[in-house]
Amino acid sequence: MNSNSLPAPLPPVIEETSAGRAYKLKEFILFLRVHKLAAIGLSIIVILLIIAVIGPLISPYPDDAYKAVHLENKLLPPSWAHLFGTDELGRDLLTRTIYGTRLSFQIGISVILLSILIGIPYGLISGYFGGWVDNVMMRVCEVFLSFPSMLLSISIVALLGPSLNNMMLSIALSWWPWFARLMRSEAVAIKERGFVEAAKSMGVHPLVIIFRHIWPNSLSVIIVQISMAFGSVILTAASLSFLGLGAQPPTPEWGLIISTGRAYFLTNWWYVTFPGVFILLTVMAFNFLGDGLRDYLDPKTRNS
Amino acid sequence: MTEVLVEIDNLSKYFTVRSGWFGASKTLHAVDNVSLSLHKGECFGLVGESGCGKSTLSRTLLQLYAPTSGTVRIAGSDISSVTRRVRRRNTRNVQMVFQDSYWSMNPKLRVGDVVGEPLRTHTKLSAAERNRKVAILLEQVGLPADFARRFPSQLSGGQRQRIGIARAIALQPELLILDEPTSALDMSVQAQILNLLKDLQEEQQLTYLFVSHDLSVVRHMCTRMAVMYLGQIVETGTTEQIFAHPLHPYTRMLMQAVPDIEGNAELTFYDGEMPKAIDPPVGCRFASRCPHVTEKCTQENQSLRELDGDRSVRCHLAM
Amino acid sequence: MNELLRVEQLRVRIETRERQVTALDLDHISLQKGEMLALVGETGSGKSLTASSILQLFPTAAARITGGRVLFNGTNLLEASPSVMNGIRGKEISMIFQDPMSSLNPVFRIGKVMLEIIRRYTGAGKKQAKQLAEESLKFVGLPDPSGIMRRYPHELSGGQRQRVAIAMAMVCKPKLLIADEPTTALDVTIQSQILYLINKLKEEEGMSVLFITHNLGIVSQMADRIAVMYAGSIVETGRTDEVFRFPRHPYTRLLLDAIPRLRERRDRLPVIAGTAVLKEAAGGQGCSFAGRCPRATKRCTAEKPQLRAVVSSHEIACFHPWEEER
């Protein structure tokens, strides 16, 4: 009982009804109104996501995404026929950028999923059991963290051979320790709380404690981290492809498009500009959203 | 009535603490040679200030800590028994109501799941049967059944403590440890919770270990009690006896320090604080604060002496 | 005129996105020089909010004073300029809290914080300030003051920290000390030491004390007068012995009955049904206790009872007070 706190009104009862969900939604919309950057970030992400999902339907020249060659159209500047212009093989750059969006989201989702699948259980176990288990597991984690993540990814791809799948694997391998470490610190903090002690005293199985009590209470922190990581992952993927270590031609990957386009940078500005703007927008949008979500989900900074 | 349910025999729990990185390790005597017996169906009060070892003792009973030495028997079976089956039965038999109901409930679970957790863990009831049982439990603690769908944060402190009680009695345990169950509550709510606890005890013949620093609440609830200081029991007996004639100087100090709304017009002042239980010195542990200290107190270890009528005291001056 | 503090018609509203409530609707309280007034109530009764309003230091931006006067030595603090207020805070009115850490910066040694405060408020030189600090630490019963000043807050026990907080609050010899649940986090024997100390400040230094607590036992031991708060209003106020012997407001009486006694054993404790509700800003007529009151009538829900004197200084806000002693 904290005497300095204000009289605490009981919060309204939120039931799993349509009204309850509407209340939560209303609250979130209110939050977005105040937090303009998060709203902008979220809108950009939603638009990009729609583009990614319905890409094949809205692309003007779906065939141009991969192998088509129309040398008669090569390096045309933006026009109504080709909004983003065309490349050195006459392919429509708008189509390729749209397909690139699709690919980037696929890469982002796969990499994050893989890192979470490894990192979260790893961190939960390490943090909950503590002691020597924790010690060993965290030292392993630190081995991965001690390499600059880009360097680690490059070495792994170099070892496995450059390809899209190997690139995703290599990025996931450099990302999972971040999730593991974050999850561990959350687990360590949450396991000190009374409800974990209560569950232990009732003889609840450790795995049940981990997944029923600790995991749901750390969800908000993980969501913020995912949002932040998503942008970085897409950027890393583009960088690796740019270096020729990821997607291989003729895949319409943003980094790869820019890599080929840089030869024409001075004469045909549109070639690198549009994919570059898309990378910038995506990374920025996820960072804005991540920042906003942190404020939204952290009860300490809320209501002030 | 005098059937013994819990028998604590020379129980000690030490922790090793290290000061700094290279400091020598020291021993914290959190609980030191405590022997107690709790009768079936009684409410036994365990009184002391923070750091006296009362929480360590109750957490040892809950098997959250393994005792350093000594034994605890509940209904005849040793809680540190090697067989899993016996240990599991004992977990079922001892439940706790925590001081801070907010801290002790998972905010992401609905009340129904909080109360249902022990049932999930120890019974094979189906989800529907469990929900029915939860509804009955909620009714027993005076809450409507639809509270099961709420989250703990949507309840008041008093309501939450009722949920804590419902969870603790779900498995019909033999022993219920009440760890300062009302100290975080308002006065008018405290009365409601204390009445509820009394009713439940009568209905279900529960045995309570009531851990508290609030003497007036212990007086109200308990038939027998023990006072702890620095890991040791300094006085035990019936509540009536102890309140009528406190023998140990520490018990007397505690009683005078409690501001009661009737009597005690004079403010009494005692200097000093309870030291840490790290490598305690020879002699009486209360000697540093005792107003009646003699040379003998600091030289000889005091043992718990048995007096007439189920009463003991750890002081050579007490008659 | 011996009146040091008088609060009149103070209204505080709390406005958040979800709701707006009148958290405080205080008739009046007054505090004489050298007197201890206890402000008693349960969570949400507005007792701490009253203290924050006097110093205009709110724990949240959502709280706003919407009316009333706070007269301190004849000046209305609610109209005082920020610079005047800063001169009063800490110097004329000091405050101690339940958690003494709130006034101690964990990264500085005790001495550094104390000296800074003393020099800011008194303009004393370095040497003089050190002497003042040691004197006040000695006054609050801390042995080895210079040793304490070299320590960090976390190296002290809870009781010691509260003593340091009191020492800091008293260095400028303020006229009024506001103590907000200063012993709630402490053990009983330590609590008695702190209570003794606050009493000593009142007796020896002639300080007025506004003591905020939920513990009626402390009130009966310490306070000259008592003001009982419920849902933001004063429901009963008077001399402590008088109110305890003859509580007239149903809430006060029920509250006193609900407390377990040290000397007397009862089978069951009488309880107050229901829970306290703060009035929504819109509407909200009548007595706020009416919904839980066994003596409530139609009039209670229609009209808000004003604080009125029944005998000399014993005032109540109730249409149907008890007429016989407890």
Side-chain angles (χ1 to χ4, degrees):
Chain A
M1 192 175 52
N2 182 1
S3 67
N4 290 331
S5 65
L6 290 164
L10 291 181
V13 177
I14 302 167
E15 306 257 354
E16 274 299 305
T17 58
S18 53
R21 257 179 262 125
Y23 174 83
K24 277 189 175 168
L25 190 67
K26 213 172 101 187
E27 202 181 28
F28 187 65
I29 290 169
L30 260 173
F31 166 79
L32 288 178
R33 267 200 189 156
V34 180
H35 221 289
K36 293 267 170 14
L37 281 183
I40 294 171
L42 186 64
S43 330
I44 296 177
I45 291 167
V46 169
I47 294 169
L48 288 173
L49 204 60
I50 293 171
I51 292 176
V53 171
I54 62 168
L57 300 176
I58 55 167
S59 302
Y61 309 95
D63 290 342
D64 287 5
Y66 283 84
K67 286 195 171 131
V69 179
H70 314 283
L71 284 173
E72 69 281 11
N73 289 342
K74 75 171 192 184
L75 295 172
L76 293 178
S79 66
W80 284 114
H82 302 281
L83 280 177
F84 286 10
T86 62
D87 66 4
E88 82 283 4
L89 296 175
R91 291 175 295 193
D92 178 46
L93 276 170
L94 174 60
T95 305
R96 289 180 62 79
T97 308
I98 289 173
Y99 271 82
T101 313
R102 200 171 159 82
L103 195 60
S104 289
F105 271 81
Q106 281 168 356
I107 294 172
I109 291 168
S110 322
V111 170
I112 297 284
L113 263 180
L114 194 58
S115 334
I116 287 177
L117 278 178
I118 310 171
I120 299 294
Y122 193 94
L124 279 168
I125 290 169
S126 175
Y128 179 77
F129 289 103
W132 66 268
V133 178
D134 183 33
N135 255 320
V136 172
M137 290 178 86
M138 276 303 115
R139 294 304 84 78
V140 172
C141 220
E142 278 157 20
V143 169
F144 279 85
L145 287 169
S146 59
F147 292 100
S149 60
M150 195 68 178
L151 200 65
L152 186 65
S153 303
I154 292 175
S155 344
I156 295 172
V157 180
L159 207 71
L160 300 174
S163 82
L164 194 60
N165 284 339
N166 288 346
M167 176 191 76
M168 293 200 285
L169 184 68
S170 75
I171 303 176
L173 283 179
S174 64
W175 263 102
W176 74 267
W178 294 97
F179 283 101
R181 260 227 317 217
L182 182 71
M183 190 63 243
R184 176 194 172 265
S185 67
E186 281 294 294
V188 167
I190 294 169
K191 83 170 173 183
E192 294 304 318
R193 290 174 57 178
F195 57 83
V196 174
E197 191 182 34
K200 275 189 197 167
S201 79
M202 281 183 278
V204 177
H205 194 276
L207 283 178
V208 179
I209 294 182
I210 287 177
F211 287 104
R212 202 172 142 87
H213 294 290
I214 295 182
W215 162 242
N217 281 291
S218 51
L219 204 58
S220 52
V221 179
I222 300 292
I223 287 175
V224 172
Q225 177 75 3
I226 286 176
S227 174
M228 296 292 213
F230 213 99
S232 306
V233 166
I234 289 177
L235 189 63
T236 311
S239 315
L240 287 173
S241 296
F242 181 84
L243 295 174
L245 295 169
Q248 297 300 315
T251 318
E253 209 279 342
W254 289 341
L256 191 57
I257 299 176
I258 293 177
S259 174
T260 355
R262 88 200 130 126
Y264 309 93
F265 175 59
L266 289 175
T267 46
N268 310 89
W269 60 270
W270 59 89
Y271 199 148
V272 292
T273 305
F274 292 108
V277 167
F278 267 67
I279 295 179
L280 178 78
L281 277 180
T282 317
V283 175
M284 212 177 62
F286 276 106
N287 280 334
F288 284 169
L289 181 71
D291 259 346
L293 283 178
R294 187 180 2 234
D295 293 351
Y296 178 69
L297 295 170
D298 184 356
K300 267 173 266 160
T301 54
R302 262 178 99 182
N303 273 342
S304 56
Chain B
M1 176 66 199
T2 50
E3 185 191 336
V4 173
L5 176 73
V6 182
E7 205 167 358
I8 304 171
D9 192 21
N10 279 314
L11 184 75
S12 296
K13 176 67 196 172
Y14 299 161
F15 295 97
T16 310
V17 286
R18 207 177 278 274
S19 53
W21 283 13
F22 306 107
S25 62
K26 291 176 173 170
T27 314
L28 177 87
H29 295 232
V31 173
D32 213 349
N33 267 313
V34 166
S35 299
L36 278 178
S37 56
L38 270 60
H39 302 159
K40 201 168 165 46
E42 78 172 338
C43 178
F44 190 93
L46 190 59
V47 177
E49 296 179 280
S50 51
C52 73
K54 56 191 199 299
S55 332
T56 308
L57 181 60
S58 47
R59 275 159 181 77
T60 311
L61 295 185
L62 279 169
Q63 301 183 58
L64 289 173
Y65 297 143
T68 307
S69 66
T71 55
V72 178
R73 287 170 171 282
I74 293 167
S77 75
D78 191 332
I79 62 159
S80 24
S81 159
V82 274
T83 63
R84 234 182 98 81
R85 206 173 51 83
V86 177
R87 275 212 311 270
R88 208 166 159 75
R89 193 180 64 217
N90 281 325
T91 326
R92 239 189 115 141
N93 270 340
V94 186
Q95 297 288 321
M96 172 131 131
V97 176
F98 292 84
Q99 170 177 9
D100 186 337
S101 59
Y102 190 77
W103 196 238
S104 70
M105 277 173 211
N106 186 343
K108 303 281 172 183
L109 291 185
R110 287 171 194 281
V111 163
D113 291 328
V114 170
V115 177
E117 177 139 58
L119 298 170
R120 243 175 107 98
T121 312
H122 288 277
T123 66
K124 292 195 173 67
L125 296 179
S126 71
E129 288 169 321
R130 216 163 50 218
N131 287 344
R132 223 170 304 136
K133 177 83 187 169
V134 167
I136 295 171
L137 286 165
L138 288 178
E139 197 193 303
Q140 278 179 327
V141 296
L143 293 175
D146 66 340
F147 267 48
R149 295 171 50 74
R150 299 194 183 189
F151 287 101
S153 58
Q154 296 167 332
L155 308 179
S156 70
Q159 289 168 337
R160 240 187 342 252
Q161 198 53 287
R162 286 173 193 264
I163 301 293
I165 294 168
R167 170 172 71 176
I169 61 171
L171 294 167
Q172 287 158 319
E174 299 266 9
L175 174 68
L176 207 56
I177 301 174
L178 307 166
D179 183 14
E180 310 249 7
T182 60
S183 66
L185 301 175
D186 273 323
M187 297 162 278
S188 62
V189 182
Q190 164 171 290
Q192 296 170 3
I193 298 293
L194 292 179
N195 284 345
L196 171 68
L197 287 170
K198 272 202 163 181
D199 293 344
L200 285 173
Q201 187 178 28
E202 246 167 60
E203 284 163 24
Q204 312 198 359
Q205 276 85 50
L206 290 165
T207 308
Y208 287 161
L209 178 64
F210 198 102
V211 180
S212 180
H213 69 274
D214 187 334
L215 281 171
S216 41
V217 173
V218 168
R219 166 92 209 247
H220 176 72
M221 292 293 291
C222 304
T223 43
R224 294 195 308 140
M225 64 184 276
V227 181
M228 277 186 89
Y229 188 82
L230 268 190
Q232 293 180 327
I233 287 181
V234 295
E235 184 162 6
T236 65
T238 64
T239 316
E240 289 302 321
Q241 284 172 332
I242 290 183
F243 275 84
H245 299 287
L247 290 177
H248 198 279
Y250 177 62
T251 316
R252 267 182 259 160
M253 177 190 279
L254 268 183
M255 285 187 187
Q256 271 160 354
V258 177
D260 188 35
I261 63 167
E262 279 154 12
N264 271 47
E266 283 294 295
L267 274 171
T268 31
F269 180 69
Y270 293 103
D271 212 357
E273 298 189 5
M274 181 157 69
K276 291 244 159 34
I278 295 172
D279 294 336
V282 198
C284 174
R285 294 195 181 170
F286 186 58
S288 62
R289 295 173 76 188
C290 185
H292 314 289
V293 62
T294 66
E295 212 168 291
K296 198 180 170 192
C297 301
T298 52
Q299 285 165 356
E300 287 174 27
N301 273 330
Q302 300 293 317
S303 55
L304 205 56
R305 284 186 299 131
E306 286 193 28
L307 306 175
D308 297 346
D310 194 19
R311 197 161 185 204
S312 353
V313 62
R314 193 186 291 272
C315 179
H316 68 96
L317 295 166
M319 285 304 137
Chain C
M1 199 188 75
N2 267 326
E3 195 168 62
L4 180 70
L5 177 78
R6 184 169 180 85
V7 179
E8 276 174 357
Q9 307 299 336
L10 183 67
R11 288 171 69 92
V12 174
R13 294 220 314 178
I14 294 181
E15 297 179 2
T16 58
R17 277 205 299 270
E18 288 94 28
R19 47 190 262 141
Q20 308 182 327
V21 286
T22 303
L24 206 57
D25 184 4
L26 202 96
D27 239 302
H28 60 261
I29 51 172
S30 74
L31 182 60
Q32 311 295 312
K33 283 187 180 133
E35 183 190 47
M36 188 183 301
L37 171 70
L39 217 48
V40 183
E42 299 182 275
T43 314
S45 61
K47 53 191 196 302
S48 289
L49 203 56
T50 308
S52 333
S53 307
I54 292 169
L55 288 176
Q56 293 158 54
L57 296 171
F58 289 112
T60 157
R64 201 158 51 84
I65 297 174
T66 55
R69 298 202 298 169
V70 176
L71 296 171
F72 179 73
N73 251 345
T75 28
N76 185 357
L77 296 187
L78 298 185
E79 285 167 3
S81 66
S83 63
V84 172
M85 259 335 274
N86 278 335
I88 285 172
R89 286 186 200 126
K91 206 166 177 188
E92 305 261 314
I93 306 177
S94 281
M95 193 157 174
I96 53 174
F97 301 93
Q98 176 178 342
D99 177 13
M101 282 304 266
S102 58
S103 46
L104 297 171
N105 188 330
V107 302
F108 293 131
R109 294 175 200 273
I110 303 286
K112 186 176 161 69
V113 180
M114 280 196 83
L115 292 183
E116 197 179 298
I117 286 182
I118 293 172
R119 296 187 63 183
R120 180 172 358 128
Y121 288 137
T122 63
K126 216 171 186 177
K127 237 182 167 169
Q128 207 188 346
K130 187 149 192 277
Q131 201 184 339
L132 262 172
E134 282 181 7
E135 266 171 33
S136 58
L137 286 174
K138 211 172 271 169
F139 183 89
V140 297
L142 285 166
D144 183 22
S146 47
I148 292 277
M149 285 168 67
R150 278 196 298 275
R151 305 251 213 119
Y152 287 99
H154 68 89
E155 295 174 309
L156 304 179
S157 70
Q160 286 173 326
R161 281 201 287 261
Q162 197 57 285
R163 282 172 199 243
V164 170
I166 293 174
M168 277 165 49
M170 60 162 281
V171 278
C172 301
K173 307 244 182 291
K175 297 193 179 70
L176 172 62
L177 177 72
I178 301 177
D180 190 355
E181 304 256 12
T183 61
T184 306
L186 302 175
D187 277 315
V188 273
T189 56
I190 310 301
Q191 165 172 285
S192 73
Q193 295 168 3
I194 298 296
L195 294 180
Y196 182 85
L197 191 61
I198 293 175
N199 208 42
K200 188 169 143 194
L201 278 176
K202 188 193 104 179
E203 300 288 333
E204 291 178 13
E205 308 283 320
M207 213 178 270
S208 304
V209 184
L210 184 63
F211 198 101
I212 294 162
T213 182
H214 67 277
N215 187 329
L216 285 165
I218 294 179
V219 178
S220 93
Q221 270 194 347
M222 300 268 294
D224 302 305
R225 285 194 308 118
I226 176 176
V228 182
M229 293 193 72
Y230 183 83
S233 305
I234 304 278
V235 293
E236 180 157 12
T237 175
R239 286 214 335 267
T240 308
D241 50 348
E242 168 87 20
V243 173
F244 275 74
R245 186 175 54 78
F246 191 171
R248 291 165 192 265
H249 195 283
Y251 175 65
T252 317
R253 188 166 288 223
L254 283 166
L255 205 54
L256 282 168
D257 280 345
I259 299 169
R261 299 294 145 76
L262 205 52
R263 283 167 224 299
E264 169 205 343
R265 197 184 172 116
R266 289 170 297 172
D267 199 31
R268 290 184 66 84
L269 299 167
V271 298
I272 310 177
T275 44
V277 193
L278 281 180
K279 277 180 292 181
E280 298 289 330
Q285 296 282 308
C287 172
S288 40
F289 189 58
R292 305 172 72 186
C293 183
R295 295 166 77 87
T297 60
K298 254 187 195 155
R299 188 179 172 201
C300 300
T301 51
E303 193 182 334
K304 187 178 161 68
Q306 296 299 309
L307 205 56
R308 64 189 165 93
V310 270
V311 284
S312 62
S313 66
H314 194 160
E315 295 174 276
I316 46 166
C318 183
F319 298 123
H320 313 287
W322 285 87
E323 304 291 352
E324 61 271 10
E325 287 191 26
R326 193 157 63 96

